[in-house]
Amino acid sequence: HALATLPAGEELLRCRLLTTLAFELDRAGSDRGYQASAQAVELARRLGDADALAIAIHGHVWHTFHRDRLAERLSLGAELLALPAKSVTTEALGHIILMVANTAAADFTAADLHADEAARIAERHALMLAAVPVGFYRALRKALSADVPAAEELYRRAAAQMDRLGRRQHGAFVSLMGRFCLRTMLGQSGDMLDELEPLHQAPPVPTPVIAAPYALALASAGRVPEARAVAARMPEVRRDDLLWLVVTAICALLAIAVDDTERAKSCYRDLLPYAARPAATDTGTVTLWPTAQILGDLARYLGFDDASAHYCQALAIAERSGIAVWRDAALNRLKQGTQRA
């Protein structure tokens, strides 16, 4: 209503209203939020207002996650850093966007550099909003070294930082997912059962973000019939959920664990377009294997002919990114062969 009744000439206010609308329509299930955020960015560019552009880009970035526009995120982060007259918060935001985007691209050399710059700005200017995402990224990087105690400690520290921002539940959840993904990579997801069970019991309707990890933990602990029952009641993962990729990857592992061929086929179709990407690094907070590794497991389970090709792609991603735990997983599968498990 405010946009519709705004007088002519109030372009800066229009830009801010469009950005606000974009934030409010995050995960609303329509294109209106994305359109509003894109309009806000273009308007801020025309106005030449660095602060308005930074806020507009921040609003737009969230909507790019829902449409898998990784290249756009890389471009937007670079645009912020190239602004000639930018505040320290804008500079920090640019580095954080690029840290997260390069993590999704498995370019950890670039992601580390941007994390270091964001951390430097956060420390110098006491910017907790910049320190928190870097804290979760540090935990993710430690998880990729398979150092469980150190990674779990960093996840808990990052959650405590988010608590200081008044977002205790969100921080605790991200920490839980990070630790669950780490344990899953190491074949220890059953160790998370005691933490996941109360969360699964809490909501009136089981959400896939909690139900899928809980069911996989049940299966890992040998409680396959219970895992199968939880999976049967689980709704589909919403495409506009920020964690769609990682939860779909967990659902794929769950399908294999409970011998659900239909779910496995569905996950295979959904994950195939993401074969060149890690399965859980989009948000720069949690990590699993490359999606190609999970596609290989699905293909092997379903008896498809392309399991080896998927494992070879996973190996190439691992070697390019220098992640030993990914490399070892891909090599082990290639040595095992591609017969159905």
Side-chain angles (χ1 to χ4, degrees):
H1 174 74
L3 281 167
T5 58
L6 194 65
E10 295 283 358
E11 296 302 279
L12 181 57
L13 183 53
R14 182 177 302 280
C15 177
R16 293 189 179 278
L17 283 171
L18 286 166
T19 300
T20 302
L21 183 62
F23 277 117
E24 293 299 324
L25 292 177
D26 182 37
R27 289 181 290 180
S30 73
D31 288 334
R32 181 66 179 115
Y34 180 82
Q35 293 166 355
S37 67
Q39 290 168 8
V41 170
E42 287 303 316
L43 184 51
R45 285 169 179 158
R46 291 202 305 271
L47 292 170
D49 189 306
D51 290 338
L53 181 58
I55 298 170
I57 284 178
H58 192 190
H60 191 51
V61 160
W62 287 104
H63 288 275
T64 67
F65 279 99
H66 308 325
R67 288 158 182 80
D68 189 37
R69 295 177 179 268
L70 176 57
E72 188 172 8
R73 287 197 291 281
L74 289 165
S75 176
L76 290 170
E79 181 176 358
L80 286 181
L81 293 185
L83 289 174
K86 55 183 176 291
S87 65
V88 292
T89 52
T90 296
E91 186 178 1
L93 177 62
H95 284 300
I96 289 167
I97 289 172
L98 289 171
M99 175 190 77
V100 174
N102 280 290
T103 305
D107 185 348
F108 295 105
T109 300
D112 286 345
L113 290 173
H114 290 294
D116 290 344
E117 286 301 306
R120 178 185 60 79
I121 295 168
E123 183 176 358
R124 177 177 295 178
H125 300 280
L127 284 177
M128 184 62 70
L129 282 169
V132 168
V134 173
F136 278 115
Y137 174 77
R138 302 283 196 225
L140 177 155
R141 289 293 276 133
K142 189 60 70 173
L144 285 172
S145 71
D147 186 339
V148 175
E152 292 191 334
E153 175 60 24
L154 288 175
Y155 272 119
R156 290 189 173 96
R157 286 185 193 175
Q161 284 183 314
M162 189 164 279
D163 188 9
R164 290 171 60 189
L165 292 175
R167 303 194 67 190
R168 182 185 62 81
Q169 288 185 331
H170 183 70
F173 171 74
V174 176
S175 173
L176 176 66
M177 283 295 290
R179 290 181 289 113
F180 172 81
C181 287
L182 169 59
R183 294 283 183 174
T184 298
M185 280 200 301
L186 300 177
Q188 303 168 1
S189 58
D191 294 350
M192 301 293 296
L193 197 53
D194 289 343
E195 286 190 71
L196 287 164
E197 190 162 23
L199 293 177
H200 181 259
Q201 306 272 345
V205 178
T207 62
V209 174
I210 293 297
Y214 175 57
L216 185 58
L218 283 169
S220 179
R223 295 161 60 178
V224 175
E226 293 174 71
R228 193 173 287 122
V230 171
R233 298 192 302 270
M234 186 173 63
E236 290 187 7
V237 190
R238 286 180 50 170
R239 283 276 183 169
D240 60 359
D241 195 302
L242 197 61
L243 296 175
W244 177 87
L245 184 55
V246 62
V247 177
T248 302
I250 293 170
C251 286
L253 301 174
L254 173 62
I256 297 170
V258 301
D259 195 19
D260 184 342
T261 56
E262 290 307 310
R263 188 185 297 272
K265 289 177 183 177
S266 175
C267 289
Y268 185 84
R269 289 192 299 269
D270 289 341
L271 291 174
L272 198 57
Y274 300 85
R277 300 258 295 278
T281 60
D282 289 57
T283 62
T285 57
V286 303
T287 184
L288 275 172
W289 301 280
T291 303
Q293 180 79 16
I294 297 172
L295 285 167
D297 287 350
L298 287 168
R300 187 173 72 146
Y301 166 74
L302 293 167
F304 294 169
D305 295 333
D306 52 356
S308 289
H310 288 309
Y311 291 136
C312 286
Q313 184 177 17
L315 179 60
I317 294 168
E319 291 180 336
R320 185 182 74 242
S321 58
I323 306 300
V325 67
W326 287 355
R327 182 197 62 222
D328 294 346
L331 286 173
N332 286 338
R333 285 290 193 262
L334 287 168
K335 288 176 183 177
Q336 291 171 7
T338 57
Q339 293 301 311
R340 175 170 172 158

